[in-house]
Amino acid sequence: MKIDFNKSNGILTVALDGRLDTASAPDFESFLIDNIAGADSLIIDCEKLAYVSSAGLRVILGAQKKMRSA
């Protein structure tokens, strides 16, 4: 999976390309942990994702929960 991102004016925009599955979900989760600090909003662009597993959904939902509690 490829991760492109832009962080500007408190908005973290992440574009995912490929498969968000059991193999790539830990990398995406680590990416979010490293980059979500200081972001007021998070946009995840899934247009180029070919597949999302339950492990990938868990990471996305965890990010949503973290953003709501911030």
Side-chain angles (χ1 to χ4, degrees), residues 35-58:
N35 290 283
I36 207 167
D40 300 319
S41 297
L42 173 64
I43 299 170
I44 301 175
D45 179 354
C46 299
E47 182 178 358
K48 294 184 179 178
L49 274 181
Y51 175 78
V52 181
S53 74
S54 59
L57 289 175
R58 180 190 57 79

Side-chain angles (χ1 to χ4, degrees), residues 7-68:
K7 194 170 187 181
S8 176
N9 298 322
I11 301 171
L12 175 61
T13 303
V14 181
L16 303 175
D17 187 350
R19 295 174 57 91
L20 181 54
D21 55 20
T22 304
S24 61
D27 293 335
F28 183 46
E29 186 171 35
S30 293
F31 166 84
L32 288 174
I33 290 168
D34 293 343
N35 290 283
I36 207 167
D40 300 319
S41 297
L42 173 64
I43 299 170
I44 301 175
D45 179 354
C46 299
E47 182 178 358
K48 294 184 179 178
L49 274 181
Y51 175 78
V52 181
S53 74
S54 59
L57 289 175
R58 180 190 57 79
V59 174
I60 292 171
L61 292 173
Q64 179 198 23
K65 185 176 181 180
K66 184 172 179 98
M67 293 302 297
R68 285 188 171 209

